[in-house]
Amino acid sequence: MDSERIITRLRAEGYQIAPDYAGADLVLVNTCGFLDSARTESLEAIGEAIEANGKVIVTGCLGAEPDVIEQAHPKVLAITGPHQYEDVMAAVHTHLTPPHNPHMDLVPEAGLRLTPRHYAYLKISEGCNNRCSFCIIPKLRGDLVSRPIHHVLTEAEQLVRAGVKELLVISQDTSAYGLDVRYKPETWRGSAYETRFLDLAKGLGSLGVWTRLHYVYPYPHVDQVIPLMAEGLITPYLDIPFQHASANVLKAMKRPAKQDRVLERIQQWRRDVPDLAIRSTFIVGFPGETEEDFEILLDFVREAKIDRAGCFRYENVAHADSRALPGHVPDEVKQSRWERFMETQAEVSADRAKRQVGTLQDVILDGPGDEPGEMIGRTKADAPEVDGIVHLTGAANFKAGDIVSVRITDSDAYDLYGAPA
């Protein structure tokens, strides 16, 4: 989303986007600074750009620590922090005067996107009020700042008009949307909407496209959105970053939202919306995590039937409070637990996939597959780039963005196979 906003501004001012380093007069590197591995990757990307081009401006999360960047790469021209779009543009103006081209002064109403035409990410807020001990996002991006709800809904409407058929709602804490502005009421399409999670879902649900809710903390008011899924207004998919299931580990993580009734609530959600898919992320090897804590986590994944999950081995992120916690887990134990988690999750996912065989599923197509006449797509249970896919045969007459009714004929641990119904 940050890259798309910057590109839209650049194109609006007449700059063109070069396909490679060699053809560029200036290189912008948008960095991540959350995990140490991401910091290392960002620094490597900066070094690669300097070596290949020489004129580099750095922005993004790692830009909040300019001394780290300057020490590694003193030749960078400028460094800006996360969502500092005006500072990025000022740095570009300093080092590369924009050309005057009246034919490039206009950009599409929906802006320029890095995603395919048929889906788009919709950022509803910046920052986060939570203070999880392993996370430094609030230090990098600040506290929660919610976008006005009529601005978000207007942007979503423009995207749909531009051909988007799937909206992916993102933020650092989607459930907390509007808390910082005390759920301020606004007007959209002549109706009143409060700046809150439920009203946002209602507004997006009126647009008639698939709408996925990502990074939803399991606060009690999340239950209010389940009826919208039952009515078919919101895609039956929730991305909830549980991170763990053991009360001891969750306390050490300083996770928000009580999770003592989460399993019971998930079971009720599934009774109300049988085709609900739940995606989550978990951390294994957190300081103080015992074998008993880890077994509690595996039991939770099995009982909650988590459809899709990402798992991370705990990293001692620079500036995170968790670095000072006692009981750090040896790397070999982290690795072992990660492997056991992934085996368990694969079993749960494979069971879910197997139960889809013989059913009819709506599938949105993302593009051609490797075989002649094959297309790759996704069901409502799968977000792009992170979840499973559907291999669709006999699909030569379809194109990316089409939503096709598909009969599922086979499955493996994560993916489905089928043909047009």
Side-chain angles (χ1 to χ4, degrees):
M1 284 293 295
D2 289 351
S3 295
E4 290 174 353
R5 289 187 183 184
I6 293 168
I7 288 174
T8 297
R9 287 287 304 275
L10 290 169
R11 289 295 299 274
E13 293 189 10
Y15 293 100
Q16 295 191 47
I17 309 303
D20 51 43
Y21 291 134
D25 296 309
L26 193 65
V27 177
L28 283 176
V29 179
N30 191 7
T31 61
C32 178
F34 180 25
L35 298 176
D36 285 354
S37 55
R39 293 159 63 91
T40 299
E41 186 176 344
S42 293
L43 290 172
E44 289 175 352
I46 295 168
E48 177 184 307
I50 290 174
E51 183 177 352
N53 183 278
K55 296 181 178 180
V56 177
I57 292 174
V58 178
T59 188
C61 290
L62 192 56
E65 301 180 67
D67 54 324
V68 173
I69 298 171
E70 289 171 351
Q71 183 175 355
H73 301 294
K75 294 182 179 180
V76 295
L77 300 178
I79 301 171
T80 69
H83 53 263
Q84 294 179 352
Y85 311 115
E86 297 302 327
D87 292 344
V88 174
M89 295 309 299
V92 171
H93 295 157
T94 298
H95 298 282
L96 187 63
T97 303
H100 175 67
N101 187 338
H103 298 292
M104 297 187 66
D105 285 345
L106 297 177
V107 296
E109 184 180 26
L112 295 162
R113 305 201 310 277
L114 299 176
T115 53
R117 175 181 172 85
H118 59 280
Y119 68 81
Y121 294 95
L122 184 67
K123 181 176 279 190
I124 63 171
S125 63
E126 294 281 4
C128 184
N129 286 346
N130 301 317
R131 294 296 183 266
C132 302
S133 62
F134 58 85
C135 182
I136 60 171
I137 285 177
K139 296 176 182 177
L140 295 175
R141 306 186 78 92
D143 286 338
L144 175 71
V145 178
S146 300
R147 295 179 59 198
I149 190 166
H150 58 307
H151 291 179
V152 175
L153 293 176
T154 297
E155 179 183 343
E157 190 172 36
Q158 291 172 349
L159 289 167
V160 172
R161 286 175 181 167
V164 166
K165 297 182 180 179
E166 180 181 19
L167 295 168
L168 300 104
V169 177
I170 58 171
S171 69
Q172 269 76 53
D173 183 354
T174 296
S175 315
Y177 177 64
L179 178 65
D180 56 309
V181 294
R182 299 183 179 180
Y183 311 113
K184 182 181 178 182
E186 304 285 0
T187 301
W188 180 67
R189 283 184 171 180
S191 298
Y193 285 81
E194 290 189 342
T195 307
R196 66 170 67 240
F197 181 57
L198 179 60
D199 283 27
L200 176 69
K202 288 179 178 177
L204 295 175
S206 72
L207 296 176
V209 297
W210 291 14
T211 299
R212 295 187 190 277
L213 302 174
H214 287 266
Y215 230 77
V216 177
Y217 282 79
Y219 302 123
H221 65 263
V222 172
D223 296 355
Q224 300 170 352
V225 174
I226 301 301
L228 299 181
M229 296 182 178
E231 294 173 34
L233 299 176
I234 294 293
T235 304
Y237 178 99
L238 281 174
D239 172 14
I240 303 178
F242 290 118
Q243 305 298 10
H244 215 281
S246 163
N248 292 333
V249 176
L250 290 169
K251 182 178 179 181
M253 288 180 168
K254 295 184 179 178
R255 293 293 287 165
K258 291 185 178 180
Q259 298 194 186
D260 53 347
R261 289 187 57 248
V262 161
L263 189 58
E264 178 184 332
R265 290 169 65 205
I266 289 174
Q267 292 167 344
Q268 183 60 53
W269 295 346
R270 293 195 188 279
R271 285 191 288 270
D272 295 339
V273 185
D275 58 345
L276 173 66
I278 297 178
R279 172 176 179 76
S280 190
T281 50
F282 297 92
I283 298 173
V284 296
F286 192 81
E289 181 191 61
T290 65
E291 181 63 23
E292 182 181 1
D293 292 325
F294 179 66
E295 290 291 346
I296 290 172
L297 172 57
L298 295 185
D299 288 342
F300 173 77
V301 170
R302 295 188 191 102
E303 293 183 46
K305 295 180 172 62
I306 301 299
D307 301 87
R308 310 294 190 199
C311 183
F312 298 91
R313 292 165 286 257
Y314 170 77
E315 285 190 26
N316 240 351
V317 176
H319 310 303
D321 294 343
S322 57
R323 292 175 68 94
L325 290 174
H328 281 255
V329 177
D331 288 343
E332 59 271 19
V333 176
K334 292 180 192 176
Q335 180 65 25
S336 172
R337 289 177 181 171
W338 180 83
E339 291 172 359
R340 290 163 60 194
F341 178 96
M342 296 307 294
E343 289 173 1
T344 299
Q345 180 57 47
E347 292 171 1
V348 174
S349 295
D351 180 67
R352 183 196 186 285
K354 188 176 181 180
R355 286 185 281 112
Q356 308 308 309
V357 175
T359 66
L360 285 175
Q361 299 284 335
D362 287 336
V363 173
I364 188 166
L365 302 182
D366 289 330
D370 296 331
E371 302 298 326
E374 182 187 56
M375 292 288 284
I376 300 299
R378 294 171 289 105
T379 70
K380 291 181 179 178
D382 298 295
E385 300 181 1
V386 293
D387 294 331
I389 58 176
V390 178
H391 299 264
L392 182 62
T393 59
N397 295 328
F398 297 110
K399 63 183 185 302
D402 286 346
I403 297 178
V404 181
S405 180
V406 174
R407 184 167 297 281
I408 305 302
T409 57
D410 200 1
S411 68
D412 57 29
Y414 296 103
D415 298 340
L416 300 175
Y417 301 80

